[in-house]
Amino acid sequence: LAYKLATKLGTWGKAKGNIGISSGGGPGIMEAVNRGAHDGGCKSVGMGISLPFEQHNNEYVSPELDFEFHYFFTRKYWCVYLSKAYVIMPGGVGTLDELCEILTLIQTKKMKTCPIVLLNSEFWNNAINFDYMIKYGTISQSDKDALFITDSIDHAYNHITNNIRLDD
């Protein structure tokens, strides 16, 4: 899913001009994103983190956009700062941290609303019970409404390309 969506968005991004696609730069889903962007013909940013078990970014990162960070907070800042849309794949604590950071920045008006796609509805609907959080009063309906949960590459692509604001 990550590869297919990144390829489709990469082709769109190349046609739009100077638009790139970014990932953490590592293996697995991150490599699929960078490879999809590369195969779609757009620049591919890799924002790696120096960890004992990941020694370098994957080969599909554009060489001039291959970054490695020492601290997670610095990496997270740069991952969010220039992005105009987010696609969040199933992941662990780091993924949840990044998703919650984006939602908090939007919720507190430190960042403008932008497309946030959670790909793989079974995972997200079981991993986080947003409806219970609304019922409990810890988030509002508008926080949940900021998320677009889908299994469809086409729906994700259409949501992003129809809602992205490139001039902000």
Side-chain angles (χ1 to χ4, degrees), residues 49-55 68-69 72:
I49 190 84
S50 55
L51 298 172
F53 49 85
E54 285 181 18
Q55 296 304 311
E68 182 176 315
F69 296 89
F72 280 99

Side-chain angles (χ1 to χ4, degrees), residues 76 80 96-112 116 133 138-139 143 146-147:
K76 187 167 38 173
V80 171
L96 293 176
D97 174 56
E98 292 168 355
L99 172 61
C100 289
E101 180 77 18
I102 293 163
L103 291 173
T104 300
L105 290 169
I106 291 171
Q107 182 185 60
T108 59
K109 310 279 189 240
K110 299 292 182 184
M111 188 173 97
K112 293 181 181 180
I116 303 170
M133 294 173 76
T138 56
I139 67 170
D143 296 323
L147 305 171

Side-chain angles (χ1 to χ4, degrees), residues 5 86-89 99 103 113-121 124-125 130 142-163:
L5 182 56
Y86 303 92
V87 176
I88 316 292
M89 300 296 293
L99 172 61
L103 291 173
T113 302
C114 63
I116 303 170
V117 174
L118 304 184
L119 212 48
N120 187 326
S121 63
W124 291 110
N125 289 329
F130 294 108
S142 64
D143 296 323
K144 181 182 177 188
D145 292 344
L147 305 171
F148 185 80
I149 303 172
T150 187
D151 297 308
S152 167
I153 297 300
D154 291 333
H155 292 161
Y157 173 84
N158 289 335
H159 180 73
I160 292 168
T161 58
N162 291 330
N163 294 289

Side-chain angles (χ1 to χ4, degrees), residues 13-61:
K14 182 178 180 186
K16 281 288 197 184
N18 195 19
I19 297 173
I21 294 178
S22 177
S23 85
I29 290 172
M30 295 175 281
E31 182 172 332
V33 169
N34 293 124
R35 183 177 178 196
H38 176 269
D39 291 353
C42 80
K43 296 287 184 179
S44 178
V45 182
M47 296 195 189
I49 190 84
S50 55
L51 298 172
F53 49 85
E54 285 181 18
Q55 296 304 311
H56 54 81
N57 281 344
N58 66 70
E59 64 183 287
Y60 298 101
V61 173

Side-chain angles (χ1 to χ4, degrees), residues 75-87:
R75 176 181 176 256
K76 187 167 38 173
Y77 171 81
W78 285 106
C79 283
V80 171
Y81 179 63
L82 296 174
S83 295
K84 302 291 185 182
Y86 303 92
V87 176

